[in-house]
Structures are given as C-alpha cells and as structure tokens.
Amino acid sequence: MHGEYKVPGGKLVVVDLEVADGLIRDFRLAGDFFLEPDTALEAINSAVEGMPVEADAATIAAAVRAALPEGAQLLGFSPEAVGTVVRRALVTAPGWRDFDWEIVHEKAVSPRMNLALDEVLTSRVGEGRRRPTLRIWEWDESAVVIGSFQSYRNEVDPEGAARHGFDVVRRISGGGAMMMAAGQIITYSLYVPASLVQGMTFADSYAFLDDWVLQALRSVGIEATYQPLNDIASPTGKIGGAAQKRLANGGVLHHATISYDIDGKTMTEVLRIGREKLSDKGTTSAAKRVDPLRTQTGMERSEIIERFKGTFRALTGAEDGAISADEYEAAQALVESKFATDAWLHRVP
C-alpha cells in the first residue's frame, strides 16, 4: 500500500507498507522533508512496524514521537503527518490529481442563492452526479452570513445591518459570522468527495483543503499561513476564515472567505461580536485585526481571483465548468423552502 500527504506549508510525506495478520509490515517512510539525525528515519520506521491496522493517526503519531532519538529535528513534517499519511495509505485515499476537477466562476447571484448552491453542488458531488468543483462566488448584494449554530441576536445588529444595506443569511456550515460587502471579499467553495480527506482528522482536513490558496497568496507576495482551526493569516493580520459541512451522502463542502478590502467602522456597527472582540483592545477599527489583500498587494480583486484559479489549475488539472440549469433550479427551490425563511434564519434565536 502506498500513501502520500503534502503537509500544508511543509513537505511531501510518503509511505509504503504491507498488511499481514492485521498488522503493518515492511513499513518505509520517504519524502522531501528534512530529518536529523539520519538514524531518526529508522527509528520512525521501527515505531510504525507491527502496529495494528486499526491504530488511528494520533496513536501512530504518539508512537513515532516516543521513538525519536533525543534532539531529533523534523523539518517540514511532524509525527502527526506520519500518522495522517499512514491512515491515508491504509484506506487508499486519493490525492488531488486522482479526480477530474472543474472550476466554476459565473454570474452574480443573491447571498441566499450562493448558500443554496453550496448545498446543492455538495450533494451532487456526494451522489457522483457532479465532478469535484472549485466555485468562486459572485453576489449581487452585501450580506452578513452567520454560522449554522450562531445566535442571530447575539451576532448581528439588525438596525446596523439594515442601515448599511446588509442582508442577513444563515449558512449550513458552522463557524463565525462573516460580513460580506459586495466587491470587498473573495469567497470560494470546494465541493469534494469525502475520500479526498480520508484518514485525516477534521482539523487536518481544513489545513489540507486550504493549502492551495496559501500557495496562491504566496505567489502574489503574501506570506500566508494557516492558523488552526480555520483561519488564514499573514504576518500583519488575519486574511480570512474557512468552514466545512459534511453530508451523509459523502459530499464535503469546504468554503472560505478572504478579505480583499474592509470597512472596519461598518463592521463594528453591523456585527455585535465585532464590538466585543475589540472592546478590550482600545481600538475602534476592525481593520487593525484584519489585513485585507488590497492593502497588501495593490492588486485588483479580479487579478487575485485569476491567480487563485491558475494556482488551482496547476495543482489539480481542473477545467472550466458551469452550473447547469437543473442545478440552478434546485438551488432556487432550496432558497424558497429554506434559506429565505424566517424558520431557517432564526433557527438559533
């Protein structure tokens, strides 16, 4: 069995192994990482050799860490990365290039339609009716998008939202509220089969699915990093955040919102949580917590989106695709039955 795992922001870790009588045998670790001393490689191999195939990633990582010689240096990978790649090998998890991808970047639609498309397209991928897809959002009005489990009244100031022209909508994934001013953010969604992240912990899958966008950001001069659990940051501030939803049919939604520009004063008048987070910092501007792409690069939003798409194509071989009329119809029905209803918006009062 063979497994590969590219550590987000790090190196490629590769394992080859056999299974006999329910145990890992002939285990061999390789990759483009750095490891000192040389004897540490054999220590890692010996630690995994003979482990039961049921061992989870954390158990494997603990065994590797315990076996390392004193003072060992692992650069570009970690014991946890070894645990992850072993699990992926045991379940024969595919990589990015094992799928036929498409990129969708279409007309602007309402915030509710964007959220409904997320659910429809994730479901279609899970059912095998759509290729794995990267979708870049465009929207025709500003909105506050709250997480599936957030309290409406705790997160949003309805009067402030109305005054500044922000609709309020609720998405199917967890996480925090995002103030999505039209033209001031870049939002993308990945619709992937669960097999792509097989063998990873939930937390590891966030870093794995966002690694391509870190590469894209670095290509425009931003030293972007992943900050667990779901933040994308640079040395000068937070850039954006991600969220996930996994459907029972095997479809996985991973979407992220990245700040291109920001009006910090408006944020504090629309989001209640913005005031609370800033109240102990002696500042009246959320811009001191978020450093948008426009100020860091000077590039147009459209230029950055094209860099994103180019980076994703290079990684996956993706082709340009489209949302079908049937998918739009299904999403519109979902808007009417779910995303536009007070019952959904106020499911957590």
Side-chain angles (χ1 to χ4, degrees):
M1 296 179 178
H2 178 84
E4 298 185 1
Y5 175 57
K6 168 66 168 58
V7 178
K11 298 296 185 178
L12 181 68
V13 184
V14 181
V15 298
D16 290 281
L17 58 90
E18 302 294 334
V19 173
D21 299 324
L23 302 177
I24 297 172
R25 297 297 186 191
D26 298 327
F27 179 80
R28 299 176 302 283
L29 175 69
D32 60 357
F33 50 76
F34 298 92
L35 178 63
E36 294 290 345
D38 286 353
T39 55
L41 181 62
E42 184 53 39
I44 294 173
N45 287 339
S46 297
V48 180
E49 181 74 20
M51 293 192 74
V53 294
E54 296 86 3
D56 62 17
T59 300
I60 296 167
V64 168
R65 182 172 284 104
L68 289 171
E70 185 176 356
Q73 298 292 312
L74 286 67
L75 302 178
F77 79 120
S78 65
E80 287 70 24
V82 176
T84 294
V85 72
V86 171
R87 291 308 315 165
R88 287 176 63 77
L90 288 169
V91 298
T92 60
W96 291 97
R97 284 273 179 175
D98 293 319
F99 295 99
D100 185 17
W101 291 86
E102 67 178 64
I103 297 174
V104 172
H105 186 195
E106 294 198 342
K107 63 185 181 181
V109 295
S110 70
R112 291 180 176 87
M113 176 61 83
N114 271 312
L115 297 177
L117 283 170
D118 266 1
E119 185 165 340
V120 168
L121 299 183
T122 304
S123 180
R124 295 289 174 97
V125 169
E127 294 167 354
R129 299 168 60 190
R130 158 171 280 277
R131 296 187 291 176
T133 302
L134 165 67
R135 181 172 73 95
I136 308 294
W137 292 30
E138 295 293 350
W139 59 104
D140 56 13
E141 60 181 308
S142 298
V144 173
V145 182
I146 61 176
S148 180
F149 310 108
Q150 287 190 296
S151 163
Y152 175 92
R153 62 171 171 250
N154 288 345
E155 300 296 328
V156 182
D157 183 330
E159 293 181 359
R163 184 168 63 253
H164 290 285
F166 282 81
D167 192 9
V168 183
V169 294
R170 185 185 294 275
R171 62 181 184 265
I172 62 172
S173 62
M178 302 297 295
M179 192 182 82
M180 302 171 67
Q184 292 188 9
I185 61 164
I186 299 172
T187 296
Y188 64 83
S189 295
L190 285 169
Y191 315 111
V192 307
S195 57
L196 179 61
V197 292
Q198 191 73 32
M200 298 183 195
T201 66
F202 194 77
D204 286 342
S205 72
Y206 270 83
F208 177 77
L209 293 174
D210 276 335
D211 190 55
W212 70 274
V213 83
L214 300 186
Q215 296 178 42
L217 289 167
R218 290 170 189 149
S219 77
V220 297
I222 297 174
E223 288 303 311
T225 57
Y226 170 77
Q227 303 291 333
L229 172 67
N230 62 336
D231 284 351
I232 298 169
S234 76
T236 54
K238 179 178 175 179
I239 300 171
Q244 280 188 21
K245 177 67 176 181
R246 302 190 178 202
L247 303 185
N249 70 2
V252 176
L253 165 64
H254 179 95
H255 48 195
T257 294
I258 297 175
S259 177
Y260 171 71
D261 204 353
I262 190 171
D263 182 338
K265 183 176 185 296
T266 299
M267 177 181 286
T268 62
E269 293 177 2
V270 171
L271 299 180
R272 296 189 191 279
I273 196 67
R275 303 167 194 168
E276 180 64 24
K277 283 185 176 179
L278 297 171
S279 63
D280 64 348
K281 297 178 173 59
T283 177
T284 58
S285 176
K288 293 188 177 181
R289 298 188 67 250
V290 180
D291 196 13
L293 302 187
R294 184 177 183 180
T295 58
Q296 293 198 58
T297 67
M299 296 173 66
E300 295 294 326
R301 178 177 176 273
S302 59
E303 293 179 280
I304 295 174
I305 288 174
E306 287 306 312
R307 187 64 63 90
F308 280 16
K309 292 193 288 188
T311 300
F312 192 79
R313 284 193 191 97
L315 173 67
T316 65
E319 301 175 345
D320 289 340
I323 299 171
S324 69
D326 174 66
E327 289 167 335
Y328 274 120
E329 289 174 7
Q332 181 58 43
L334 202 54
V335 167
E336 295 169 5
S337 65
K338 181 176 182 177
F339 290 102
T341 66
D342 284 342
W344 173 253
L345 179 62
H346 297 283
R347 68 187 294 257
V348 183

